[in-house]
Amino acid sequence: MNDDARPAIAARALGHRYGSREALAGIDFTVARGARYAVLGPNGSGKSTLFKLLATILPVQQGELSVLGVDLREAPGAVRARMGVVFQSPAVDRRLTVRQNLAYGGALFGLHGAELAARIDEVLARTGLTDRASDRVDALSGGLRRRVELAKCMLHRPELLLLDEPTSGLDPSARRELWALLRGDPDLTVVFATHLLEEAEAADRVLILHEGRVVAEGTPGELSASVGSPALEVAVDQEALPGALVLLATRFGLHPIAFGGGLRAQAHDAHLLVPEVYAALGSKARRVSVSPPSLLDVFFARTGAPFPDGWMPPPAQQVREGGRR
């Protein structure tokens, strides 16, 4: 089988330890060529270890891992020139111009002379940075700096991008622009970790890790459908949030998740609960509604943790065991 016919990534019984601590416990997953593949998980779930293994920063200790048809146990160096990596921490020199950063990055990939100049012009145009090529990076907005990092990792025309929180710190407009760019090449495989629900829901497939294990994998639609129950959503004023959370947990037996001025809880009879919750909250309720299950519900159901975009679990002492599911 030639490389193009193989999946972009295939992991079988992939495990990794740091001394006595097991970071990955024999996970299996496959990423198809050209996919946009999201990796989710609470802190300590194994996401960072997985990304370091994929980026060949860590050696494969246990199991099998192939990237672009290359066995990373046998020849990790053979795949490095075929992938681009953007970590959450910035990797550009703010004192240099955009073009200087790209020239330096291209040299690391063995590009030089007319070929390097042509590649720089190509990625500047592709990322919408042509007019900013002579600007120092420290004069750019956060969104533009992230584009410079992406441009740098695309200089060598990689087949696979590994992105760790690619839109961290960007405003919604900058996020949309970045993802429009990433979706522009159907042959490019993109594997990314994110803490933003809307980004994960836009992926082709989603992998959810918890305590080093795969607890869910599939399309966003498949995963959302797997939890079954719809969600009851309650909007209250901030000062009423703790009381509303306790009420949903104790009187209605739900397991609510709180975020800002809202509460969300799965309940198979959510539509029947709407008038009851309205009556119980009285004037404190600004809105009570029902929504289909989402990745947020999947994440909470499979990990027992809130989705890492600010959702918080209720204090354990305030929630009784059981609930309407």
Side-chain angles (χ1 to χ4, degrees), residues 4-324:
D4 289 341
R6 298 179 183 181
I9 298 171
R12 297 289 180 271
L14 182 64
H16 197 86
R17 285 182 173 273
Y18 299 99
S20 62
R21 183 172 71 85
E22 188 175 48
L24 291 176
I27 66 173
D28 298 342
F29 70 97
T30 301
V31 180
R33 297 265 179 163
R36 302 308 187 254
Y37 195 89
V39 179
L40 308 178
N43 290 337
S45 63
K47 298 192 307 296
S48 294
T49 297
L50 176 58
F51 265 72
K52 289 176 182 177
L53 286 165
L54 292 172
T56 74
I57 293 171
L58 291 175
V60 177
Q61 292 179 347
Q62 173 191 327
E64 301 175 5
L65 180 60
S66 67
V67 174
L68 302 175
V70 176
D71 185 341
L72 295 195
R73 272 188 178 276
E74 301 295 328
V79 78
R80 288 173 186 149
R82 299 170 61 190
M83 68 168 71
V85 183
V86 175
F87 289 109
Q88 189 172 1
S89 299
V92 290
D93 191 327
R94 294 192 177 197
R95 296 166 296 180
L96 301 180
T97 67
V98 172
R99 186 176 292 276
Q100 287 169 336
N101 267 282
L102 297 181
Y104 177 71
L108 295 177
F109 285 111
L111 300 171
H112 53 83
E115 182 183 17
L116 175 57
R119 294 282 185 92
I120 289 175
D121 288 341
E122 175 187 314
V123 297
L124 285 172
R126 189 173 177 185
T127 55
L129 290 169
T130 300
D131 293 341
R132 310 304 294 268
S134 298
D135 292 354
R136 279 175 41 140
V137 170
D138 62 6
L140 303 180
S141 67
L144 290 176
R145 285 197 296 270
R146 208 60 169 157
R147 282 202 223 174
V148 176
E149 295 199 54
L150 188 61
K152 189 172 74 168
C153 84
M154 295 173 71
L155 275 167
H156 59 303
R157 296 173 183 160
E159 301 165 56
L160 168 67
L161 288 184
L162 301 176
L163 310 177
D164 188 9
E165 305 286 355
T167 62
S168 178
L170 303 189
D171 61 42
S173 176
R175 287 177 196 149
R176 286 192 295 270
E177 290 175 359
L178 184 61
W179 280 109
L181 170 64
L182 291 173
R183 294 188 186 101
D185 185 349
D187 296 323
L188 180 66
T189 305
V190 180
V191 178
F192 64 99
T194 182
H195 68 285
L196 298 171
L197 188 63
E198 64 269 22
E199 290 186 351
E201 288 181 329
D204 297 313
R205 296 186 74 83
V206 177
L207 176 77
I208 301 179
L209 293 174
H210 182 51
E211 296 180 346
R213 291 172 170 79
V214 175
V215 295
E217 200 276 345
T219 68
E222 290 169 347
L223 295 181
S224 296
S226 72
V227 298
S229 300
L232 182 75
E233 293 188 340
V234 179
V236 295
D237 292 333
Q238 188 67 34
E239 61 272 15
L241 190 64
L245 188 151
V246 173
L247 183 142
L248 290 178
T250 57
R251 184 181 299 187
F252 296 98
L254 301 176
H255 297 283
I257 308 170
F259 179 62
L263 295 169
R264 183 181 177 94
Q266 276 185 272
H268 65 84
D269 55 353
H271 63 292
L272 298 177
L273 291 177
V274 171
E276 295 182 45
V277 172
Y278 254 126
L281 288 173
S283 61
K284 297 176 183 176
R286 291 191 283 110
R287 176 178 55 83
V288 181
S289 59
V290 176
S291 69
S294 71
L295 273 183
L296 170 65
D297 305 306
V298 178
F299 193 91
F300 187 54
R302 299 289 188 270
T303 70
F307 196 84
D309 62 353
W311 289 81
M312 301 177 296
Q317 69 270 21
Q318 296 178 342
V319 182
R320 72 183 188 186
E321 291 300 319
R324 304 189 188 204

